[in-house]
Amino acid sequence: MTATTRTRTQVAVVGAGPAGLLLTHLLARAGVESVAVEVRSRREIEETHRAGILEQESVDVLVESGVSDRVLRDGYRHDGIELAFGGTGHRIDFQGLVGASTQLYPQTDVFVDLADARARDGGDVRFGVTEVSVHDVESETPRVLFTDPDGVAHELVADVVVGADGSRSHCRAQVPETARRQYFREYPFAWFGILTEAPPSAPELIYNHSPQGFALISSRTETLQRMYFQCDPAENPDDWSDDRIWSELQGRLGANGYTLKEGPITSRSVLPFRSFVQEPMHHGRLVLAGDAAHTVPPTGAKGLNLALADVRVLAEELERVIGKGDAAPLETYSERALGRVWKTQHFSYWMTTMLHTLPDASPFDVRRQEGELALLSSSVAGSTYLAEAYTGWPGAR
Ligand code: DHB
């Protein structure tokens, strides 16, 4: 197809989820032009439920860069979590251990704030486009082709193309096999996630290890709660009545002395578990950010935080590239970002394997896991590691 409209921009961003939108926002503040294209509509993204915990620095970047301070007004500050195992809860006191907190504020709201800020500031974001393809990433003028919702074909010619197109990234496949390494890990379980119209069952999140399997009690508002429990990846959400779900959750939490407040269940879905990294995070004039380059299992809620950390580093490095023709900062971006990516991969893997019931675990494995949890919660060094990693290592490193 021949492109009918050609636009020259400095940075073409594929994907307008939180990573793509925060990037274009930060670039605009630094005087760098960009256009973002996204295959989903705004509404579709707003209706996707994702995790709800922001690290302190994720909150700071939204507030300090002028996206919005709604996260401070509508979010809930959490100064710790409960680790429940062995018949009782054990509080990990983030403020006491590392002087940091997290903010309960769903990814959907982060997306809405960013999309509103781009609209307010006149950012060029095209939702609902089709047939997106990326070309000539090894040249100095990489291109993105797409078709707008009216069927008109467009071409973006840029200095740099950013692939922020999520876990099923098309951009990542543009890096030739000989120039990339991919790392995968599968897990033999998934999460069954629900939303329920009920009051909170606890003031803080409960990460609950029990012989029946892991469960996580989180929240959204005073009247809407988010909960998850470990399940078989092949589980069909439609096979689960409200009663069956409550009995599963109450059984797991009851093992550690908690009782949940029940209400009607308004959403149910099964979330897959996977660890994935593609490195390096650049090739020629293409760079990858967020889920396009890496996926973490959900335990510990690092996916969004890691994507925002990538973008903070990428915005800094792109400011150096644009207009100067030197692509070396793209390599620096990849190196800087991968440092945090692998620390976060380890943390998410560790939280996952420490808390879940592994289908093929031997009695030794089970008792060792209980020993690990006891060590973690009874040792200041152990709980400080958890508190520091959970609230986020400072400095986007
Ligand atoms: C939530 C999700 C997580 O994976 C987590 O570790 C904590 C909270 C949530 O959706 O609220």
Side-chain angles (χ1 to χ4, degrees):
M1 195 197 321
T2 349
T4 55
T5 309
R6 170 187 267 224
T7 307
R8 185 73 175 89
T9 188
Q10 290 177 307
V11 181
V13 182
V14 181
L21 290 180
L22 179 64
L23 179 67
T24 58
H25 171 79
L26 295 176
L27 290 176
R29 282 172 52 89
V32 177
E33 284 170 20
S34 66
V35 179
V37 296
E38 167 63 57
V39 290
R40 291 167 300 171
S41 66
R42 234 195 104 145
R43 177 114 179 255
E44 243 176 293
I45 306 179
E46 283 172 9
E47 285 171 357
T48 314
H49 301 301
R50 304 295 286 269
I53 291 289
L54 294 182
E55 295 172 358
Q56 183 65 53
E57 291 207 353
S58 299
V59 173
D60 293 346
V61 72
L62 295 174
V63 175
E64 286 164 16
S65 74
V67 173
S68 167
D69 61 3
R70 191 164 72 95
V71 54
L72 300 177
R73 285 181 279 115
D74 293 358
Y76 299 83
R77 183 178 134 169
H78 284 199
D79 293 340
I81 53 168
E82 288 285 321
L83 269 191
F85 64 92
T88 185
H90 309 258
R91 182 160 190 266
I92 306 292
D93 174 6
F94 297 158
Q95 271 297 332
L97 292 161
V98 292
S101 298
T102 54
Q103 195 84 355
L104 182 90
Y105 190 69
Q107 176 163 335
T108 308
D109 292 80
V110 173
F111 168 77
V112 167
D113 291 348
L114 283 162
D116 285 349
R118 294 312 292 133
R120 175 196 71 199
D121 299 345
D124 191 346
V125 182
R126 322 274 180 97
F127 287 103
V129 305
T130 55
E131 300 176 88
V132 179
S133 59
V134 173
H135 304 268
D136 304 336
V137 299
E138 289 171 2
S139 80
E140 291 194 355
T141 48
R143 295 177 301 128
V144 175
L145 302 186
F146 68 96
T147 304
D148 73 20
D150 298 326
V152 179
H154 291 261
E155 180 183 46
L156 296 173
V157 182
D159 295 338
V160 174
V161 171
V162 177
D165 52 343
S167 57
R168 291 190 211 96
S169 174
H170 158 82
C171 291
R172 123 177 124 221
Q174 299 308 303
V175 182
E177 270 176 45
T178 49
R180 68 176 199 218
R181 293 174 297 280
Q182 292 189 328
Y183 303 85
F184 291 97
R185 190 178 205 287
E186 301 290 339
Y187 298 82
F189 42 74
W191 276 4
F192 198 108
I194 64 156
L195 282 170
T196 177
E197 286 167 359
S201 288
E204 291 178 338
L205 270 60
I206 307 172
Y207 285 82
N208 186 85
H209 170 81
S210 81
Q212 302 98 301
F214 173 72
L216 170 60
I217 308 307
S218 182
S219 178
R220 287 294 175 263
T221 64
E222 294 307 317
T223 54
L224 189 66
Q225 310 311 315
R226 183 80 165 135
M227 303 184 184
Y228 305 92
F229 61 89
Q230 174 183 351
C231 69
D232 190 297
E235 206 64 73
N236 177 359
D238 297 334
D239 292 345
W240 287 73
S241 65
D242 283 22
D243 282 351
R244 186 171 171 213
I245 292 172
W246 284 121
S247 134
E248 193 64 45
L249 280 165
Q250 297 287 18
R252 294 185 191 195
L253 271 292
N256 294 316
Y258 295 91
T259 306
L260 300 173
K261 296 197 174 122
E262 299 184 11
I265 293 172
T266 54
S267 155
R268 66 197 74 205
S269 58
V270 171
L271 289 71
F273 264 61
R274 209 155 70 98
S275 300
F276 169 74
V277 181
Q278 175 165 311
E279 56 180 31
M281 286 166 63
H282 74 108
H283 180 71
R285 293 297 185 109
L286 171 71
V287 289
L288 302 174
D291 283 3
H294 43 69
T295 309
V296 290
T299 332
K302 286 297 182 210
L304 172 61
N305 291 295
L306 188 54
L308 300 182
D310 279 357
V311 161
R312 270 146 53 208
V313 175
L314 182 54
E316 270 176 41
E317 297 296 339
L318 281 177
E319 284 169 37
R320 279 191 254 246
V321 181
I322 299 303
K324 305 199 184 68
D326 169 19
L330 302 183
E331 185 169 344
T332 312
Y333 155 68
S334 175
E335 282 164 13
R336 286 178 63 193
L338 281 167
R340 193 182 186 97
V341 166
W342 280 109
K343 284 195 287 189
T344 308
Q345 283 292 350
H346 169 69
F347 174 72
S348 304
Y349 161 90
W350 172 73
M351 283 285 277
T352 298
T353 50
M354 177 172 70
L355 287 162
H356 287 70
T357 303
L358 307 170
D360 55 356
S362 68
F364 173 86
D365 296 332
V366 172
R367 297 291 289 139
R368 185 208 59 77
Q369 201 178 23
E370 288 163 2
E372 183 176 14
L373 284 162
L375 178 62
L376 180 78
S377 57
S378 62
S379 142
V380 172
S383 22
T384 303
Y385 167 70
L386 174 58
E388 184 193 51
Y390 194 99
T391 55
W393 303 285
R397 286 188 306 272

